Amino acid sequence: MAAGEAEPGTVRPGGRTARVRAAVLEAAGDLLAESGFDRLDLAEVARRADVGKTTVYRRWGTPAGLVADLLADMAEQSLPRAETGSLDGDLRANADLVCRTLADPRQGALFAAVIAAATADPGTAEALHRFYAIRVAEWAPCVRQAVDRGELPADTDPEEVIRAVSAPLYYRLLTTAAPLDEAAAAQAARATAAAARAGAFTRAPLGIDCSM
């Protein structure tokens, strides 16, 4: 890549170019959900989006570049955090949002495809890490507010609490046929809140070996 040249899929254009980007990302998401990352063909994406192949190849370059931009757009479009005034309410709101997303046939299949691709493609893995870093950062203030209200130990790690809410829901998506419903959301939120109150997510003191 030449000096000063933007990484494929990272430009945030406006006007007609923004409309082209939106069409291409929608087509890419559809194809990912239908066929997975291995069959994410840029020419097919261009055909579905009704744009020129050269436009797609020039702007995104590779399937990984296209997925990176798709995840960036999804992070931008994701709903903001809910603030209910209590730890239990906030974690339940987060769990409900994750469940609704993963239970959606298109979105659930899309995330499963991207997660699978991230195990083998470093570019996709990096993009996925950025996506989750943004979403965790969006919800972490809910935990910090709970600490300020005295609901949690002072040294609770907010990011780890938010990750713990989502973890069993993604595990359910990827490893079982169990439904991602209100009961699953309630269980994930309730278990995480109980663990957080018990100090399970406090930061380890310096000098403690956590590898044992």
Side-chain angles (χ1 to χ4, degrees), residues 10-80:
T10 61
V11 177
R12 298 292 177 264
R16 178 183 179 280
T17 308
R19 292 192 293 273
V20 168
R21 176 178 179 247
V24 168
L25 294 185
E26 182 176 4
D30 289 344
L31 192 57
L32 269 171
E34 293 168 14
S35 306
F37 182 79
D38 288 344
R39 298 186 65 181
L40 185 61
D41 179 70
L42 298 191
E44 175 61 13
V45 169
R47 186 191 68 79
R48 292 188 180 207
D50 196 24
V51 303
K53 287 190 295 184
T54 56
T55 297
V56 175
Y57 281 100
R58 182 176 64 249
R59 187 169 301 155
W60 288 278
T62 65
L66 186 51
V67 169
D69 199 23
L70 176 63
L71 287 170
D73 183 68
M74 289 168 60
E76 292 168 3
Q77 301 301 323
S78 294
L79 293 175

Side-chain angles (χ1 to χ4, degrees), residues 168-207:
L169 304 176
Y170 278 92
Y171 188 83
R172 181 177 288 235
L173 170 73
L174 297 172
T175 67
T176 78
L180 284 155
D181 52 16
E182 289 188 5
Q187 183 181 46
R190 187 168 56 247
T192 302
R197 289 191 175 97
F201 302 110
T202 54
R203 294 181 175 89
L206 293 178

Side-chain angles (χ1 to χ4, degrees), residues 81 87 90 136-154 156-159 161-162 203:
R81 67 180 176 273
L87 176 70
D90 291 349
V136 169
E138 170 66 24
W139 283 84
C142 292
V143 181
R144 286 193 284 271
Q145 290 165 6
V147 171
D148 293 341
R149 291 192 298 263
E151 293 185 68
L152 296 176
T156 297
D157 186 327
E159 288 77 15
V161 174
I162 297 302
R203 294 181 175 89

